[in-house]
Amino acid sequence: DVQLQASGGGLVQPGGSLRLSCAASGFTFDEYAIGWFRQAPGKEREGVACISNTAGGIYYADSVQDRFTLSRDNVKNTAYLQMDSLKPEDTAVYFCAAVKLFGKFFFAGMDYWGNGTLVTVSS
């Protein structure tokens, strides 16, 4: 079975940092781009960042550019989202997902979706 397990969420103060992990199994990890999405209460889902299968291409939404860093380890079948300088507006449930064609990230046309992990930024 395909699994994408997101973890690492929690409560952090504004200006703080968190690192989310997305552990994958059940498919050939290094053939898929990995994307992160988030959804805050009452808001639409937002594509946050996406990394190509070889990490040669990475996209960041304007809202997280220069604060978030996406990476992956194709040996451990895991992707990481390092989130720095967190703001209250970053509060959301964060989901990871996998897709063979990178471009499909931009309309959330992912092949596999994982569970969510809650990030709360509050003092």
Side-chain angles (χ1 to χ4, degrees):
D1 290 350
V2 170
Q3 288 194 7
L4 287 163
Q5 181 72 41
S7 62
L11 174 63
V12 63
Q13 292 187 343
S17 298
L18 280 176
R19 189 177 81 153
L20 305 184
S21 297
C22 176
S25 61
F27 63 99
T28 307
F29 186 73
D30 63 9
E31 292 183 358
Y32 286 75
I34 300 296
W36 284 92
F37 297 80
R38 66 186 182 186
Q39 188 161 23
K43 294 189 176 181
E44 292 188 356
R45 183 176 55 195
E46 175 189 12
V48 173
C50 190
I51 187 168
S52 68
N53 63 320
T54 62
I58 306 177
Y59 162 84
Y60 297 100
D62 288 345
S63 57
V64 306
Q65 183 77 47
D66 298 326
R67 299 188 299 119
F68 289 12
T69 304
L70 183 50
S71 62
R72 64 188 294 158
D73 184 333
N74 284 352
V75 174
K76 295 183 178 180
N77 287 359
T78 302
Y80 305 97
L81 184 66
Q82 176 67 39
M83 306 187 296
D84 299 318
S85 302
L86 283 162
K87 304 174 181 179
E89 52 263 43
D90 294 318
T91 296
V93 177
Y94 284 70
F95 301 86
C96 62
V99 66
K100 269 210 168 183
L101 296 178
F102 190 101
K104 292 175 72 175
F105 165 83
F106 296 101
F107 55 89
M110 310 303 277
D111 297 319
Y112 306 120
W113 288 89
N115 65 315
T117 187
L118 176 63
V119 172
T120 303
V121 185
S122 175
S123 55

